[in-house]
């Protein structure tokens, strides 16, 4: 059994007991969260898509982490202009506990 769920504008294919990194979700480690925007559910060959889906995804927050550093460097030749900017994206590690 698997489902496709929309979390913070991105689509993820999830299964029970799977851990994945999603964009930052409000809450502390150990909190339970639910995702109601389920786009597709496949239950043993029975496919539900669109408005026929009446499922929710229950998950537990494992922790908050940061992604790798991304560096943006801008330069204009012969002008002396150099600009270096970097950032690290915030992610939340969640574990899918149930697809109901």
């Amino acid at each position: 059994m698997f489902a496709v769920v929309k979390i913070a504008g991105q689509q993820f294919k999830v299964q029970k007991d799977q851990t994945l990194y999603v964009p930052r979700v409000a809450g502390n480690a150990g909190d339970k969260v639910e995702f109601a925007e389920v786009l597709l559910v496949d239950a043993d060959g029975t496919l539900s898509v669109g408005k026929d889906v009446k499922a929710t995804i229950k998950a537990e927050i494992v922790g908050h982490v940061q992604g790798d550093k991304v560096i943006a460097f801008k330069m204009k030749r012969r002008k002396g202009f150099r600009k270096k900017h970097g950032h690290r994206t915030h992610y939340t590690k969640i574990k899918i506990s149930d697809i109901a």
Side-chain angles (χ1 to χ4, degrees):
M1 178 177 206
F2 72 91
V4 176
V5 63
K6 192 171 185 181
I7 302 171
Q10 297 180 5
Q11 296 178 10
F12 295 94
K13 180 181 176 185
V14 297
Q15 295 178 350
K16 189 175 181 197
D17 297 328
Q18 178 184 6
T19 59
L20 66 146
Y21 294 94
V22 298
R24 187 66 154 232
V25 176
N28 297 321
D31 290 350
K32 309 275 189 218
V33 291
E34 286 189 9
F35 303 106
E37 197 167 356
V38 180
L39 305 175
L40 178 139
V41 173
D42 181 16
D44 303 325
T46 306
L47 195 66
S48 299
V49 181
K51 297 187 183 211
D52 297 337
V53 178
K54 304 285 189 227
T56 59
I57 307 297
K58 296 180 182 178
E60 179 181 350
I61 296 176
V62 177
H64 298 289
V65 294
Q66 286 184 330
D68 294 334
K69 185 148 193 161
V70 177
I71 303 214
F73 181 73
K74 297 179 182 180
M75 176 179 149
K76 294 188 178 179
R77 61 185 190 163
R78 299 186 303 267
K79 306 294 185 212
F81 174 78
R82 293 176 179 218
K83 187 174 186 179
K84 184 177 178 183
H85 175 73
H87 72 89
R88 295 180 69 185
T89 307
H90 298 279
Y91 294 105
T92 299
K93 185 176 181 181
I94 62 171
K95 181 175 183 182
I96 306 299
S97 57
D98 191 25
I99 300 173

